[in-house]
Structures are given as C-alpha cells and as structure tokens.
Amino acid sequence: MNYLLTLAYDGTNYCGFQVQPNGRSVAAAFQDALEAVLGCRPDIKGCSRTDAGVHALGFMLNFHADTRIPAAKLPLALNRHLPPDIRALEARVVPDDFHARYAAHTKTYLYRIHNSPIDSPFAARYYTKVPGRLDADRMQQAAQYFVGKHDFLALCASGSSAAAHGDTVRTITACDVQRRGDDIDITVTADGYLYNMVRILAGTLCEAGAGRLAPEAVPGILASRDRKNAGPTLAAKGLFLKSVDYDTPIE
C-alpha cells in the first residue's frame, strides 16, 4: 500500500528534511521509526526538502509498505519511536502512483516575526526578532506586489540549482501579513519556491515595514532579477511549512 503521512516537526536540531551526510535529518529519524515499526526501511518521498532549522506544521510524505497496522493507527505506532520534536499526525492510503512532491498543487509557508526588543522566554526558537516597530499595513501593501506569476530570481540565494538552469518563474497565489500584538505572521502560498525565497521575501517585507523600502518598489526589484536589490535573508528558525494542497481531494 502507498501511505500518505502528515508530519509536524521542530527543525531546530536537524539539517533539514532531506538525508544529508553532514548532519541528522528529519527523514533519517522518520525512517528509523518506520524500521522499528515495520521491520523494513522503505524509501520515502517528501513534499519538500526544507532547509536546516526550518520547522513544519503539515509536512507531507509518502511511502510504500506492507503492514497489518490500520492507517489510522500508524501515527500512534510511529510516535512511540520518533524523537519528541517529530510527530506523525495522520496517515491514509493513497493510489500507488501518488507522489507527495509531484502531486502537490501549492504549498503554504508561514514566517513568524516577533516585533519587540524583548524575546519571549517560551518561543524564541520559533520566530525572528525585529526590535524596531514595523508597519504591518505597509508590509501588506508590499506583499500584494509579489502575488502573480513572476521571475523570482531576485529572491533566490546563490547556489540554487533552479537558478542555474534558468528555472526561476513561480506563481504566488496569496501573500498576506497579519499583526497579532507584538507578533507578525507572513503567509505565502505558491506553486513552487526557489532557494531561500520565502526568507528573502520576508526580509524584503520587513524593509518596507521599517520604512526603508516603498511598497511600490517591489515590481522593480523583481524585474531587476538581482538578489542585491531585495531585502536580507531572515533566519531559518522563523519559517514553517504550514500546509500542502493537492490538485485532487485525497480520500
């Protein structure tokens, strides 16, 4: 059977989702749990790679396995063997040819900013602190200029394989900024992302919120296709993969 599983994880102690030779990955920890439960180590297909330190609220992955454990009980069995900073939330059976990455229609990321000079003693590992007051309305105005089909090379860090192949056009369908007291949430939904794209986008919105960048300057930044014209790359710890949407409903 082909199982689609939803994961949530704190990425602080991991080098990202994808297995890498230079550190502990979320994928390796998950496969360890699979091996403990199933007695084998199936190949897993993740919906995204996620960089070191990035978190997930609704990461999707699939794998093929033979087991008598009902899909509804599989998360409970896996959680007994997963570290406490990774949790399986839900599992279901999907068609054999379903692939968590290639079937994805859009992915939504959340970037969290604590807009205060004082850190929270409870949540400092899950946001980026910006001490100077940000104008969330200006950030929202700037955010709307990112919506649509654009060449996002200006929001791409060096070292991107997509950029090397000239594949830098993506479509953002929603980009919103919301203030909640001292916290600012930036949510972005797109059909795909470039390397560090959301973190650079969030940094650019902060420049607008701080008054150093006019919201209407965003189209010119995108048209320039030049990374140095966009804002800074904000820290990985404020970024969460929030959800993944698929073209067809999953039973």
Side-chain angles (χ1 to χ4, degrees):
M1 303 284 249
N2 190 12
Y3 293 91
L4 177 65
L5 193 131
T6 308
L7 274 189
Y9 57 81
D10 176 344
T12 304
N13 298 319
Y14 298 93
C15 63
F17 177 79
Q18 199 79 358
V19 173
Q20 298 179 39
N22 61 340
R24 181 72 166 157
S25 69
V26 175
F30 182 76
Q31 285 182 300
D32 287 346
L34 272 181
E35 189 169 11
V37 171
L38 304 177
C40 61
R41 198 177 182 86
D43 187 30
I44 60 176
K45 306 293 193 302
C47 66
S48 178
R49 289 176 180 265
T50 71
D51 294 333
V54 174
H55 316 294
L57 300 172
F59 189 96
M60 309 298 286
L61 61 85
N62 72 285
F63 60 91
H64 288 77
D66 292 321
T67 176
R68 294 182 179 180
I69 302 172
K73 294 185 178 180
L74 195 53
L76 294 175
L78 289 168
N79 287 337
R80 291 175 55 198
H81 300 279
L82 283 167
D85 51 5
I86 302 175
R87 277 293 168 264
L89 304 181
E90 183 183 13
R92 52 197 137 167
V93 175
V94 291
D96 279 348
D97 61 351
F98 183 92
H99 191 294
R101 178 183 174 191
Y102 298 132
H105 178 57
T106 60
K107 300 184 192 113
T108 298
Y109 278 89
L110 164 68
Y111 197 91
R112 299 185 64 227
I113 294 168
H114 189 56
N115 190 204
S116 168
I118 302 171
D119 273 315
S120 161
F122 308 108
R125 66 198 294 180
Y126 305 120
Y127 62 68
T128 288
K129 181 177 74 173
V130 178
R133 185 73 175 179
L134 296 173
D135 185 333
D137 290 336
R138 281 175 59 90
M139 295 173 71
Q140 174 67 8
Q141 290 170 29
Q144 300 320 296
Y145 288 105
F146 288 118
V147 177
K149 186 176 183 179
H150 304 290
D151 186 333
F152 286 101
L153 183 60
L155 303 188
C156 181
S158 61
S160 165
S161 59
H165 291 91
D167 178 24
T168 53
V169 174
R170 300 289 186 273
T171 300
I172 290 180
T173 52
C175 186
D176 292 292
V177 179
Q178 182 178 18
R179 177 180 283 281
R180 298 176 293 102
D182 286 336
D183 295 322
I184 294 177
D185 289 347
I186 299 168
T187 54
V188 186
T189 301
D191 62 355
Y193 297 87
L194 303 176
Y195 185 39
N196 286 352
M197 179 172 157
V198 178
R199 292 162 60 187
I200 298 169
L201 184 152
T204 306
L205 293 182
C206 284
E207 291 296 291
R212 293 187 291 268
L213 176 75
E216 56 271 19
V218 169
I221 292 171
L222 295 178
S224 76
R225 303 181 76 246
D226 192 334
R227 170 68 187 90
K228 73 174 186 294
N229 292 328
T233 305
L234 297 190
K237 67 176 185 171
L239 185 60
F240 295 76
L241 174 58
K242 184 178 180 182
S243 61
V244 182
D245 293 311
Y246 292 98
D247 275 321
T248 55
I250 299 168
E251 298 297 333

